[in-house]
Amino acid sequence: MRNELYDSEVIPHRAQVYGKVFSRHPALDLPAKIALAFEEFLSEKKISVLPGDVLAGYAYKYSWDLTDPHKTPDSYNAAEVPPYDPFCIDDEVERIKAYLGGDEHHPAVKKLRFFQKGVHSWLFKHNSGGHIIPGQQRILTSGLKALQDEAKTELGREHTDSEKSYISAMLRCAEAFSNYILRYSEEAENSARSIEDPSEKKQLLKISTACKHISKNPPQSFFEAVQLVWLVHEVLITDMPVNCVISVGRLDLYLDSFYQADLAAGHITGDEAQEIIDALWLKFAANEMCYQNVTIGGTTVSGELISNPITLMCLRATERLRCDQPLLALRYAPDMPEELWEESLNVLRSGTGFPSFFHDAACIAVKERQGLSHEDAVNFAVMGCVELTGCGNDFSNTESMRINIPLLLEFMLNRGVQRLTGEVFPLHNSHDLDSLESFDEFYAWFKRELRAYINLGLESADLIESFWGRLYPAPFLSFTMKGCVQKGRDVADGGPIYNNSVLNGGGFASTADSLAAIKKLVFDEKIMTLSELAVALDQDYKGYEHLLRLISACPKYGNDDDAVDRFVRDIVDIFIDEAEGRKNSRGGTYGIGLYTVQDHAKMGYLTGALPDGRLAGTALSNGFASVQGKDISGPTALINSAVKAEISGAGNGMVLDLKFSPQFLQNPSNAKATRHLINSYFARGGIEIQINVVNSETLLAAKREPEKYKNLVVRVSGFSAYFCSLLPATQDEIIARTEHGNF
């Protein structure tokens, strides 16, 4: 059943509906238009409940489309992999320009034009919208009607006209969603009429009854709770802006009370509950590579460790089904019960890269550091890949800005010109390369350029954020979030309780290894000058094979070598210094992210040769790990390198990847050693660690004959995906990672 049911027409159909509604109501404000269009679309959207369905809900393939405007090409096919470069920046700049009167010379527009060029050149990566954990728990606890009644009450309170209009838009969307759930109730009942098999008829009627109840009321059973979770999720990903990354939050915390009540009343067995969780996993799995994270484990506000039957069911569903979705994040605590450890290791052995491990205490501390209350920090969950956010109360716009750190070295060594595009990016401090007399002088220059471009990127991204909620409102998502109805404001316009922003980086190890090579070869040993190195980079090392041999002997991050690890530590310090405490336009502050998703490959496409020996167009280093294959001293050395930096300040999350051979974890002593490694890493301040259990031979075979490996799931960078769906550069990068077979 995996990936077989999806609606390939949903995105184009949605575009048509929104276009018709917008043209019929030109005088309405944008939120009102979107609410009417949302209502009409949900009333028309194709739905289906078939015999054998455990849950209602019709999934569709992930799209990069915008909620408004809908620029779906005529050739769009939702079954295909999304396009490589979904640059929403172009539409954003044009809309902001129009909002500001169409003046190309407006200072804001001029700033955004430069940022736009940086995004297209992969100096910056930028996405807005989505990347959030909605208020699933609020809806499960209160029910839709009670939350709708809250909105109606709010309309009677003192608000501006625009705030009341937005509350009305949120309310219309919520009521449309209730009616959409009722459509499933009717569809299941109609389907049951034509079914003779008693068990299938019973299941369809169960779906019908459940949907009718949860269309207004809080769930009264485990089945109803899971059904509501999925339908909320389905509709949000149907009608969210570009890159509609939506995660679920702490599923085992949300569902356990429903399960325990049903179990005590004799209404459910463990096997029946597992089947429902498996069915939910299959719903997620129809939407490939879309970063739907489920968080399990961790502690409660009272300090109780969560390790309940739902926790284990989520792990077992992941192990048995072996899909790329949902992503599964485990909030680690040193006193986790043995059963939870064993189930986690079993899933790791399956080779899907799940679960990723997050240090509960460190994550709570960094979210408090970013301004969340203790209660809300304790209830953090993992959004998308590794982003740490509050649940139903926090819009941190977690992919708003990422900077390609090693590309700044390219600018410095090539007069501000990007080698592979010819684009010019002016240096803030120009120097004649051979006038620099010491590495300290060169390094100080690099740090100045890094700070300057970080500030330029953050100012530009924040400028876009200041307009996003007005230009791309999301009233249904806003309805689910705590604070939006009370304020009458959009989720991206300061509506939630927390409204933070982010600074992410890419190529940490690539930069550190490059700096180490420059220090050793140019300044310490004086084998060449900076200008001579620049010529070698221009030639992509063709004819400079001797130089590559010298570079290979330079210090490499990931081997517990202070000579190079200090550069990563310094860069993280700069990130924290530039971000922490900085205010954004929505009243929040900044956090930093030390992860790259697939962006290390994408940034690498347009980055020329680097001083660390990396060739032009190849992937940069992944997340916070070493350059691929350069951590030759074992996983403990890599961890020792990582914890020298202040990774405990990574409020937007981090990624530390390890790759083990499949045979390695089959050995009980190695599995025990892996636990000790994870315990040691977290005890020393680590935030996140993930383990790929796959051998390079399998990956190479999958590249040669992808048709034989369609279901091969691997860990990428904070997320897992079907290997054959990845960009070729990403595939090569994963193959090149060090494969550990011992400690």
Side-chain angles (χ1 to χ4, degrees):
M1 181 177 171
R2 181 171 69 195
N3 297 340
E4 292 176 0
L5 290 180
Y6 63 86
D7 185 356
S8 62
E9 300 298 321
V10 65
I11 305 299
H13 183 206
R14 184 185 67 180
Q16 295 163 12
V17 170
Y18 275 63
K20 287 187 296 185
V21 171
F22 276 42
S23 63
R24 287 202 305 262
H25 302 280
L28 291 179
D29 64 19
L30 185 56
K33 290 178 184 176
I34 288 176
L36 283 169
F38 180 84
E39 180 180 52
E40 187 164 322
F41 170 63
L42 288 189
S43 71
E44 294 183 11
K45 178 179 176 290
K46 183 170 66 177
I47 64 172
S48 177
V49 186
L50 302 175
D53 278 353
V54 176
L55 295 168
Y58 202 55
Y60 71 99
K61 291 290 183 179
Y62 186 54
S63 95
W64 295 98
D65 207 33
L66 285 168
T67 297
D68 172 52
H70 292 276
K71 293 186 174 180
T72 310
D74 293 337
S75 60
Y76 178 82
N77 181 355
E80 295 176 354
V81 175
Y84 160 55
D85 284 332
F87 285 117
C88 57
I89 183 72
D90 297 338
D91 185 74
E92 290 170 335
V93 174
E94 292 305 321
R95 285 191 152 214
I96 292 171
K97 175 184 171 182
Y99 191 91
L100 294 172
D103 181 7
E104 187 69 34
H105 300 290
H106 191 288
V109 176
K110 292 172 71 174
K111 182 186 289 277
L112 290 180
R113 287 298 185 202
F114 187 81
F115 184 63
Q116 181 180 23
K117 181 173 78 169
V119 171
H120 278 281
S121 299
W122 281 101
L123 167 61
F124 301 117
K125 187 268 184 80
H126 163 75
N127 279 319
S128 291
H131 299 91
I132 197 167
I133 298 175
Q136 288 272 13
Q137 190 173 22
R138 294 180 67 236
I139 295 173
L140 288 173
T141 302
S142 300
L144 286 165
K145 184 178 184 303
L147 294 178
Q148 291 165 14
D149 288 343
E150 285 183 19
K152 292 174 183 175
T153 300
E154 206 62 49
L155 283 171
R157 294 182 175 152
E158 186 174 344
H159 285 285
T160 66
D161 289 344
S162 64
E163 289 168 351
K164 285 191 174 183
S165 176
Y166 201 78
I167 295 169
S168 296
M170 288 188 277
L171 180 58
R172 182 181 287 274
C173 287
E175 291 172 340
F177 177 56
S178 289
N179 291 331
Y180 178 69
I181 298 175
L182 285 174
R183 287 187 63 205
Y184 271 118
S185 176
E186 294 166 2
E187 182 72 16
E189 185 176 11
N190 291 337
S191 186
R193 291 195 185 102
S194 60
I195 297 299
E196 295 183 2
D197 183 276
S199 62
E200 290 183 351
K201 183 184 289 287
K202 180 181 179 181
Q203 182 62 29
L204 289 168
L205 292 175
K206 180 180 179 181
I207 290 172
S208 177
T209 301
C211 287
K212 185 174 183 180
H213 181 79
I214 62 176
S215 68
K216 296 182 182 294
N217 307 298
Q220 56 188 0
S221 69
F222 176 74
F223 175 78
E224 288 186 357
V226 176
Q227 180 67 83
L228 185 54
V229 164
W230 170 253
L231 290 175
V232 170
H233 186 77
E234 175 192 317
V235 169
L236 283 171
I237 61 173
T238 300
D239 205 71
M240 271 298 295
V242 69
N243 282 342
C244 53
V245 178
I246 300 290
S247 293
V248 178
R250 307 186 70 183
L251 194 65
D252 52 353
L253 176 65
Y254 304 162
L255 296 180
D256 185 55
S257 61
F258 294 101
Y259 172 71
Q260 296 297 346
D262 277 4
L263 192 66
H267 295 156
I268 200 169
T269 66
D271 288 344
E272 289 168 341
Q274 182 70 65
E275 181 185 25
I276 294 168
I277 293 294
D278 289 354
L280 177 62
W281 258 227
L282 288 171
K283 295 292 184 185
F284 286 126
N287 218 0
E288 295 176 11
M289 207 194 300
C290 61
Y291 314 106
Q292 305 160 106
N293 208 310
V294 170
T295 303
I296 57 174
T299 52
T300 65
V301 176
S302 62
E304 180 185 359
L305 181 65
I306 297 175
S307 179
N308 59 44
I310 309 304
T311 313
L312 301 176
M313 289 178 197
C314 292
L315 286 162
R316 289 166 185 154
T318 296
E319 180 189 2
R320 285 158 45 172
L321 299 173
R322 302 194 182 191
C323 304
D324 79 322
Q325 299 291 315
L327 308 181
L328 190 63
L330 174 63
R331 288 176 49 169
Y332 157 96
D335 54 345
M336 288 193 321
E338 188 67 20
E339 186 179 20
L340 181 53
W341 264 117
E342 285 304 315
E343 285 293 347
S344 300
L345 289 172
N346 284 339
V347 179
L348 278 180
R349 291 186 187 101
S350 72
T352 57
F354 299 123
S356 51
F357 295 84
F358 290 79
H359 185 197
D360 204 52
C363 293
I364 292 169
V366 75
K367 295 315 291 181
E368 288 183 305
R369 179 171 166 174
Q370 203 177 356
L372 273 65
S373 70
H374 177 67
E375 179 178 355
D376 290 336
V378 168
N379 281 317
F380 86 89
V382 180
M383 201 299 305
C385 291
V386 294
E387 299 96 306
L388 311 175
T389 69
C391 294
N393 54 21
D394 181 9
F395 179 55
S396 293
N397 209 6
T398 62
E399 280 293 313
S400 179
M401 209 283 276
R402 174 173 287 111
I403 187 168
N404 182 343
I405 307 168
L407 191 55
L408 298 179
L409 288 174
E410 178 173 318
F411 296 165
M412 292 167 63
L413 295 170
N414 199 41
R415 304 173 303 284
V417 179
Q418 186 176 24
R419 285 191 174 90
L420 299 184
T421 66
E423 292 285 1
V424 177
F425 291 88
L427 295 166
H428 293 78
N429 299 99
S430 295
H431 291 278
D432 177 78
L433 291 180
D434 293 335
S435 70
L436 299 170
E437 297 181 355
S438 69
F439 177 76
D440 288 346
E441 191 176 354
F442 178 85
Y443 190 38
W445 178 25
F446 165 75
K447 289 189 285 188
R448 287 194 299 270
E449 295 297 333
L450 177 58
R451 287 183 184 273
Y453 269 99
I454 283 173
N455 276 282
L456 189 152
L458 290 182
E459 289 170 5
S460 301
D462 188 54
L463 182 58
I464 293 173
E465 286 187 25
S466 70
F467 287 95
W468 181 269
R470 286 170 280 173
L471 299 180
Y472 304 94
F476 180 58
L477 172 63
S478 299
F479 172 79
T480 76
M481 300 294 290
K482 186 176 181 181
C484 291
V485 168
Q486 292 73 21
K487 297 178 186 177
R489 303 186 73 174
D490 185 76
V491 65
D493 192 31
I497 305 301
Y498 305 106
N499 300 279
N500 296 322
S501 295
V502 299
L503 163 62
N504 300 321
F508 290 93
S510 295
T511 306
D513 289 2
S514 294
L515 289 167
I518 291 171
K519 182 178 185 300
K520 181 178 180 180
L521 300 181
V522 175
F523 292 100
D524 292 350
E525 299 181 358
K526 302 187 185 304
I527 290 173
M528 63 175 55
T529 65
L530 278 176
S531 59
E532 289 171 339
L533 173 61
V535 172
L537 298 177
D538 283 336
Q539 300 302 312
D540 200 21
Y541 290 106
K542 291 182 177 65
Y544 289 86
E545 289 75 15
H546 66 289
L547 178 55
L548 289 174
R549 289 192 291 272
L550 293 173
I551 290 171
S552 68
C554 293
K556 300 292 188 289
Y557 170 78
N559 296 288
D560 196 11
D561 187 338
D562 290 342
V564 62
D565 295 345
R566 74 179 182 100
F567 297 128
V568 171
R569 182 193 65 220
D570 290 351
I571 293 169
V572 172
D573 286 347
I574 289 172
F575 269 50
I576 292 174
D577 187 48
E578 293 295 334
E580 202 163 75
R582 184 188 188 116
K583 296 295 183 182
N584 66 19
S585 59
R586 296 177 288 116
T589 61
Y590 283 79
I592 69 167
L594 311 176
Y595 66 97
T596 52
V597 200
Q598 269 196 102
D599 293 343
H600 55 289
K602 295 177 181 179
M603 287 177 164
Y605 273 128
L606 294 183
T607 301
L610 291 175
D612 70 339
R614 174 196 155 277
L615 300 181
T618 57
L620 303 178
S621 56
N622 163 40
F624 208 63
S626 68
V627 171
Q628 296 79 6
K630 302 303 181 182
D631 51 333
I632 60 175
S633 301
T636 302
L638 173 60
I639 283 174
N640 289 342
S641 291
V643 298
K644 292 174 187 176
E646 193 180 347
I647 54 179
S648 60
N652 196 42
M654 69 161 291
V655 163
L656 184 64
D657 279 302
L658 295 177
K659 179 180 171 185
F660 289 151
S661 65
Q663 297 77 22
F664 180 78
L665 283 181
Q666 298 302 325
N667 185 316
S669 63
N670 289 340
K672 185 176 181 180
T674 301
R675 285 177 57 172
H676 287 316
L677 183 75
I678 293 171
N679 287 334
S680 173
Y681 168 63
F682 285 143
R684 298 175 62 195
I687 289 277
E688 187 268 5
I689 193 167
Q690 57 190 40
I691 299 174
N692 232 339
V693 181
V694 64
N695 60 50
S696 298
E697 289 77 11
T698 299
L699 300 178
L700 288 167
K703 276 207 74 174
R704 289 192 302 269
E705 300 179 283
E707 68 281 356
K708 295 183 179 180
Y709 294 86
K710 291 181 179 179
N711 293 324
L712 175 63
V713 176
V714 297
R715 198 72 182 175
V716 184
S717 179
F719 71 103
S720 292
Y722 293 107
F723 181 76
C724 297
S725 72
L726 296 170
L727 299 169
T730 305
Q731 293 177 330
D732 292 340
E733 181 268 316
I734 295 171
I735 292 168
R737 294 177 192 172
T738 300
E739 183 180 317
H740 298 290
N742 53 63
F743 283 100

